[in-house]
Amino acid sequence: MSAPISNLAFPRSSHLLSGWLAVVAALSILTPASAADSDYVHAAEKIGTVEDIYDGTLLPDDAVATFRNIDRLFPTRAIKAGGTVLPLPKSDKPLGNVTFEINGKKNDLYDFIALDSITALLVLKDGKIAYETYQRGNTDKTRWMSMSVAKSITSTLAAIAIKEGLLAGLDASVADYVPALKGSAYDGTSVRDVLMMTSGVRWNETYTDLASDRRALLNSQISQVPGSAMKLMASLPRAAEPGTVNNYSTGETQVLSEIVRGAIKKPLADYLSEKIWVPFGMEADANWWLDSPDGHEIGGSGISATLRDYGRFGLFFLNDGKIGGTSILPDGWTKEASLPTKLKDGSKLDYGYMWWTGWTTPSIADGAFAAIGIQGQNIYINPAKNVVIVTFGAQPKPTGKEPIDPLVVFDAVAAALD
């Protein structure tokens, strides 16, 4: 379901909007949601703009309100939940306080939550809740932004499409599924190249740089012009041969979302609902940003869901994508997608198929990995210890404002529960 234009808090770049729409946008900034949304616990809160998020110019209270109301920033499509909910019972062995060292100094769980601006934290051990806390007014009904956690979800939808035979496989040509990219630098690139972010297409991901490709992609989303994102991606030059260099790119995930849509012939939110959200037993509807009213999903960000449902997605992936005892993912996918991949020359790449591989000694030993979004969003999965950890964060800048490395904390938590 798309949000009414009058309820959207559009960004400051009103030059991208025309006539009366620019006036509506200006009046919409920092206004509460409409009465139609009043059943949501945070609906009456004033929020900032999407540019405020990427600029890092939100004060703490405004950031929290905005991050749990991102479905008011752009039109969205609902990711519908079903009637049966996967239970998450309380563990009979709850997590106590956990200590760990950062730069030779002792820290604990309370330090992590305070210093890294964590607004909710869920720890699942063997599918049971070992720890759960909500801060800054968040509740178990709060929908929080995914940011780049959405990349790992989009990657998983591509895997389901491969399993179903709708997407020809990792070696399939990008341009075969996204006609808008024919004749561009994406000609000759494969689905695998996009999943590994090794297409070789030039990209600058600097969130706070107004001249970066990442901000150009955001501006295309702000414009709400159908097809503008792929027009941008088609205009980019080649910087390296496919498969030879990894360059983190949200644009690459937007390309992946268009590949998936081209393969499944339906919206990604509907596919996610049909394949995972309903059958796996998510408890609440989620939302996903669109590039235009009733348009295409933003593959690299823009999902807003509850803490426990992000946790359930982690359990789905931890358990090899099994629903009813049968995996809906290709054989071996979860391991292949979450462990280090290789470039064409054989060199190791510490990145999977839009999943971050572990970088600490314990996480590497356990084969742990994570879906990570800017400003403190995480789904950490440790298959060796059967642990899933989810965080909501409200850090002041997109990157570089984590005093404590979250993976160090997650490793310590997993070890304490072993």
Side-chain angles (χ1 to χ4, degrees), residues 183-194:
S184 75
Y186 279 95
D187 257 346
T189 62
S190 68
V191 171
R192 180 185 282 102
D193 293 327
V194 171

Side-chain angles (χ1 to χ4, degrees), residues 245-263:
V245 176
N246 169 258
N247 183 29
Y248 188 84
S249 166
T250 295
E252 212 90 301
T253 317
Q254 191 59 36
V255 169
L256 181 65
S257 71
E258 294 293 336
I259 293 170
V260 175
R261 186 174 179 118

Side-chain angles (χ1 to χ4, degrees), residues 161-184:
I162 291 172
K163 174 78 170 187
E164 294 190 322
L166 301 174
L167 181 55
L170 293 175
D171 294 324
S173 170
V174 169
D176 286 348
Y177 294 90
V178 190
L181 295 180
K182 288 184 177 178
S184 75

Side-chain angles (χ1 to χ4, degrees), residues 140-187:
D140 61 354
K141 306 300 182 187
T142 298
R143 295 189 302 265
W144 196 264
M145 68 179 188
S146 66
M147 301 314 276
S148 291
V149 167
K151 291 179 170 68
S152 303
I153 295 175
T154 299
S155 164
T156 303
L157 294 181
I160 297 170
I162 291 172
K163 174 78 170 187
E164 294 190 322
L166 301 174
L167 181 55
L170 293 175
D171 294 324
S173 170
V174 169
D176 286 348
Y177 294 90
V178 190
L181 295 180
K182 288 184 177 178
S184 75
Y186 279 95
D187 257 346

Side-chain angles (χ1 to χ4, degrees), residues 88-165:
L88 295 177
K90 298 285 187 180
S91 173
D92 57 1
K93 295 181 180 179
L95 178 72
N97 192 17
V98 175
T99 61
F100 47 88
E101 284 194 0
I102 299 289
N103 297 325
K105 294 183 178 181
K106 184 178 178 180
N107 292 269
D108 62 17
L109 204 56
Y110 299 96
D111 297 321
F112 169 63
I113 292 171
L115 294 174
D116 278 16
S117 300
I118 300 302
T119 65
L121 170 63
L122 175 68
V123 178
L124 300 174
K125 169 68 173 178
D126 300 329
K128 298 179 180 180
I129 298 175
Y131 187 88
E132 184 176 30
T133 187
Y134 297 92
Q135 301 295 315
R136 304 297 299 277
N138 285 341
T139 76
D140 61 354
K141 306 300 182 187
T142 298
R143 295 189 302 265
W144 196 264
M145 68 179 188
S146 66
M147 301 314 276
S148 291
V149 167
K151 291 179 170 68
S152 303
I153 295 175
T154 299
S155 164
T156 303
L157 294 181
I160 297 170
I162 291 172
K163 174 78 170 187
E164 294 190 322

Side-chain angles (χ1 to χ4, degrees), residues 230-250:
M230 285 305 99
K231 183 176 181 180
L232 168 66
M233 299 310 295
S235 73
L236 298 173
R238 175 163 299 289
E241 288 302 306
T244 63
V245 176
N246 169 258
N247 183 29
Y248 188 84
S249 166
T250 295

